[in-house]
Amino acid sequence: MIYQPGQRVALVHTSDPHTLLRPGDTGTVRRHDQRHHIVDVLWDSGSTLSMCLDDGDRIAPATTPPPAAEQVVGDAEEWATALRRMRAAGTTAGHTAAEWWAQDTIGARAPGDTRRTVRRILTGITDGDPAILDALPHLTTAEASVDTSGWELFADATGDVSGWFGLRIQRRDEAMAVYRDAFDTAAADRIADLCRLAASPTGRDVSHLHPNRIRVGDVGVFSGEWARTTGPDGDDRITVGFVGTLVDHWNGWAVFACTRDVAEAIVADQQHHRDQYRHHLRDTGVPDDDLDRQVDTALADLSFDGDVIVADQRALSDDPQAIDRITPDGDGRYVVMGRSWCWEAVDPYACDRIVGDLPDPT
């Protein structure tokens, strides 16, 4: 025969030598796997021993009512408790579904460039793109009837194996809606968190450093137009961002202070741009004896003289006095070309690399 979820049964025989169940013990059917002839039973004694009908286990329908369960479906307060448990269970299940989804989509088992994938997913979540949102895990009960799946979820969440069948249709719908909303919300939120971690060039959540949140006195990530490139998806990318504290604005651009390590990285990055430009000029046929002049005319020359940054822009600005010495403040921090270059706070997730120590969200 076919056993239905919620049906009461009694043990006739089991060959399991370790169980404490005895013939005549009663329980409630959780599900009947007809393909493998296995009946999952929640026994009144607390045992969850499944019955393998092909291996000699035998059960029979029983008319005994289930033992008194914790009342969670009575008055308004008890119903609110049941819904809280359904929401908590849905949240846990949503988180679990997101973790499994991530393993195959953006985790170690995912094929291709996962950084591109997570950027596309994050953009889709932010923009509400149906093509992205519909591909995220959602609660589905397609494999079972609503009553069967609802009973299982309600029993697992509340511990009440019989209360579901005493609920009005409206309350069943309400319980399922609460569970589904909690599941879908938790799954989407967890996926967004996992994508932000995977998209971060530091492997940490850096969403709190978005440029829209940076005010004077805040730590942010800064770069300039010279560092912008186009990514493989046609999105804007930044080759390197520098961590610093926003201290002022100049003609709409950012002025920030940074540590010695970050200042050294800025100097090194500028020298890298100068070297690239020199190679470009040489490839276009510029004579070697004119390379330095043309590089100096196009790009400032930064270098360290002890603890001082020397910024030589004499050829660039055609001004023999345009050479600055940038000294550290009392805390050893530098404002590198703060009122000469067009710096701006940038999205850390758009950076391929970030130099400097990032603060925690707190």
Side-chain angles (χ1 to χ4, degrees):
M1 67 176 293
I2 298 174
Y3 294 95
Q4 300 296 331
Q7 182 178 354
R8 296 289 291 166
V9 294
L11 177 64
V12 175
H13 171 74
T14 178
S15 56
D16 190 319
H18 305 292
T19 183
L20 298 178
L21 292 172
R22 295 293 180 265
D25 286 350
T26 55
T28 303
V29 174
R30 291 176 59 86
R31 71 172 58 83
H32 183 179
D33 183 346
Q34 299 176 49
R35 179 181 178 185
H36 298 98
H37 304 290
I38 296 175
V39 181
D40 295 332
V41 181
L42 180 59
W43 298 97
D44 297 344
S45 64
S47 172
T48 56
L49 180 68
S50 296
M51 295 288 99
C52 301
L53 303 184
D54 283 350
D55 292 338
D57 291 340
R58 293 291 178 267
I59 53 178
T63 58
T64 58
E70 180 183 1
Q71 296 300 314
V72 296
V73 295
D75 59 23
E77 182 177 350
E78 291 167 344
W79 180 238
T81 298
L83 293 182
R84 283 196 298 271
R85 293 176 181 176
M86 288 291 283
R87 182 169 295 281
T91 298
T92 299
H95 284 164
T96 300
E99 297 286 349
W100 282 105
W101 174 93
Q103 290 186 33
D104 295 324
T105 309
I106 61 174
R109 296 204 298 254
D113 184 354
T114 56
R115 291 283 295 278
R116 293 178 60 185
T117 301
V118 297
R119 291 198 295 268
R120 177 174 54 83
I121 293 171
L122 282 173
T123 300
I125 292 175
T126 301
D127 296 342
D129 184 353
I132 297 297
L133 298 180
D134 291 347
L136 302 183
H138 295 280
L139 178 67
T140 174
T141 56
E143 297 179 356
S145 69
V146 172
D147 275 349
T148 298
S149 59
W151 172 79
E152 292 176 342
L153 295 175
F154 190 84
D156 287 340
T158 67
D160 188 342
V161 298
S162 61
W164 176 261
F165 300 101
L167 295 176
R168 299 189 304 274
I169 296 300
Q170 293 87 341
R171 282 200 163 179
R172 292 187 186 184
D173 290 344
E174 183 181 5
M176 289 301 295
V178 165
Y179 188 96
R180 183 179 295 105
D181 176 70
F183 181 102
D184 292 349
T185 300
D189 288 348
R190 182 57 180 154
I191 285 171
D193 289 341
L194 293 171
C195 285
R196 282 192 286 266
L197 291 176
S200 170
T202 65
R204 296 166 50 194
D205 181 5
V206 289
S207 57
H208 58 292
L209 299 177
H210 191 278
N212 290 346
R213 300 183 178 184
I214 305 303
R215 302 292 183 269
V216 172
D218 292 341
V219 174
V221 179
F222 301 89
S223 191
E225 284 293 331
W226 57 88
R228 292 190 177 273
T229 61
T230 300
D233 293 327
D235 55 337
D236 287 337
R237 301 297 301 163
I238 297 170
T239 55
V240 58
F242 303 100
V243 177
T245 301
L246 181 64
V247 296
D248 198 2
H249 289 98
W250 166 78
N251 288 343
W253 303 104
V255 179
F256 69 96
C258 63
T259 63
R260 169 72 184 247
D261 288 343
V262 174
E264 289 178 349
I266 294 174
V267 170
D269 184 64
Q270 180 68 1
Q271 291 302 322
H272 173 69
H273 285 297
R274 286 171 58 85
D275 290 342
Q276 283 188 318
Y277 188 54
R278 179 178 284 103
H279 291 315
H280 167 72
L281 293 175
R282 180 179 288 116
D283 291 341
T284 58
V286 174
D288 287 348
D289 58 2
D290 196 34
L291 288 175
D292 287 344
R293 183 190 66 80
Q294 292 203 31
V295 170
D296 289 340
T297 300
L299 297 167
D301 184 12
L302 301 186
S303 61
F304 265 95
D305 180 12
D307 291 332
V308 177
I309 299 175
V310 178
D312 189 345
Q313 299 183 96
R314 290 174 295 182
L316 177 64
S317 60
D318 193 22
D319 180 358
Q321 303 300 319
I323 185 167
D324 297 318
R325 297 178 64 84
I326 304 169
T327 58
D329 62 17
D331 295 323
R333 300 173 70 83
Y334 295 82
V335 176
V336 183
M337 311 305 291
R339 291 174 176 81
S340 299
W341 290 0
C342 297
W343 293 103
E344 58 184 335
V346 297
D347 185 354
Y349 290 109
C351 298
D352 294 327
R353 183 169 62 94
I354 293 177
V355 178
D357 295 329
L358 295 170
D360 292 329
T362 55

